[in-house]
């Protein structure tokens, strides 16, 4: 590179810097400042809901979520009693979750839901292994996302006219 090219580069970069000085920064002073989470945000972890009146778990252990999960990370063991199914075991390994939301979408009783937890770092892999009790706790502890099976089925179902995702 000769001296003229060097001078041109310096001038160009200097001009770019000077042009951007009056602009407001795009970064924020995280974690002291936080961005607003979009209303439709739904990522992070999962919850399992309970009936607000009876306290019974909503999940009927139909295994639809287990069958549809492309990552095959849901494991459910069924128990039958009182004329319905219950999840004796419900595990979900977040380590391999691709957050496709299919499990939520197929649930016929809105039992598995996504929570609004954009900031939930963990230090142990075992913390990403969700058991039934962890997911029940998540549902009571964190804000739930708007997306539930019944809503998503209406949004993306065959009659919705909105099948492009
Ligand atoms: S979001 Fe997708 S990958 Fe994750 S558990 Fe649900 S179905 Fe499986
Ligand atoms: S969470 Fe929903 S889809 Fe999954 S087993 Fe329970 S009832 Fe069925």
């Amino acid at each position: 590179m000769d001296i003229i090219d060097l001078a041109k580069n310096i001038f160009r970069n200097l001009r770019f810097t000077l042009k951007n000085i009056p602009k407001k920064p795009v970064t924020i002073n995280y974690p002291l400042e936080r961005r607003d989470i979009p209303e439709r945000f739904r990522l992070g972890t999962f919850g399992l809901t309970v009936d607000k009146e009876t306290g019974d778990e909503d999940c009927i252990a139909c295994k639809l979520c287990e069958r549809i999960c492309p990552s095959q990370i849901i494991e459910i063991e069924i128990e039958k009693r009182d004329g319905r199914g219950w999840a004796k075991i419900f595990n979900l390994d977040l380590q391999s979750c691709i957050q496709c939301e299919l499990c939520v979408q197929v649930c016929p009783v809105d039992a598995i839901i996504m929570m609004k937890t954009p900031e939930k770092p963990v230090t142990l892999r075992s913390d990403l292994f969700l058991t039934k009790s962890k997911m029940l706790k998540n549902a009571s502890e964190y804000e739930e996302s708007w997306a539930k099976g019944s809503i998503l089925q209406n949004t993306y179902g065959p009659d919705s006219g909105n099948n492009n995702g």
Side-chain angles (χ1 to χ4, degrees), residues 63-162:
K63 281 181 167 260
L64 281 176
C65 55
E66 184 189 69
R67 288 201 191 102
I68 204 159
C69 176
S71 305
Q72 302 198 324
I73 50 170
I74 298 177
E75 179 198 12
I76 295 165
E77 216 173 276
I78 307 171
E79 185 183 13
K80 295 257 183 194
R81 77 182 135 82
D82 305 330
R84 56 164 278 192
W86 302 80
K88 195 168 153 196
I89 291 176
F90 195 126
N91 295 329
L92 190 157
D93 190 353
L94 262 187
Q95 283 184 89
S96 307
C97 177
I98 56 172
Q99 306 269 328
C100 66
E101 201 180 58
L102 285 172
C103 52
V104 177
Q105 214 172 110
V106 295
C107 182
V109 289
D110 293 349
I112 184 165
I113 52 172
M114 277 179 162
M115 314 309 299
K116 273 184 162 180
T117 49
E119 300 158 333
K120 201 172 176 301
V122 295
T123 50
L124 296 172
R125 284 179 179 217
S126 56
D127 290 339
L128 293 170
F129 190 81
L130 302 180
T131 57
K132 185 174 88 169
S133 55
K134 276 190 196 172
M135 283 188 274
L136 288 168
K137 192 160 171 266
N138 283 347
S140 64
E141 215 164 82
Y142 302 120
E143 188 186 350
E144 66 183 51
S145 89
W146 66 278
K148 293 184 176 176
S150 53
I151 298 171
L152 292 166
Q153 285 151 24
N154 284 335
T155 309
Y156 299 125
D159 302 326
S160 69
N162 180 20

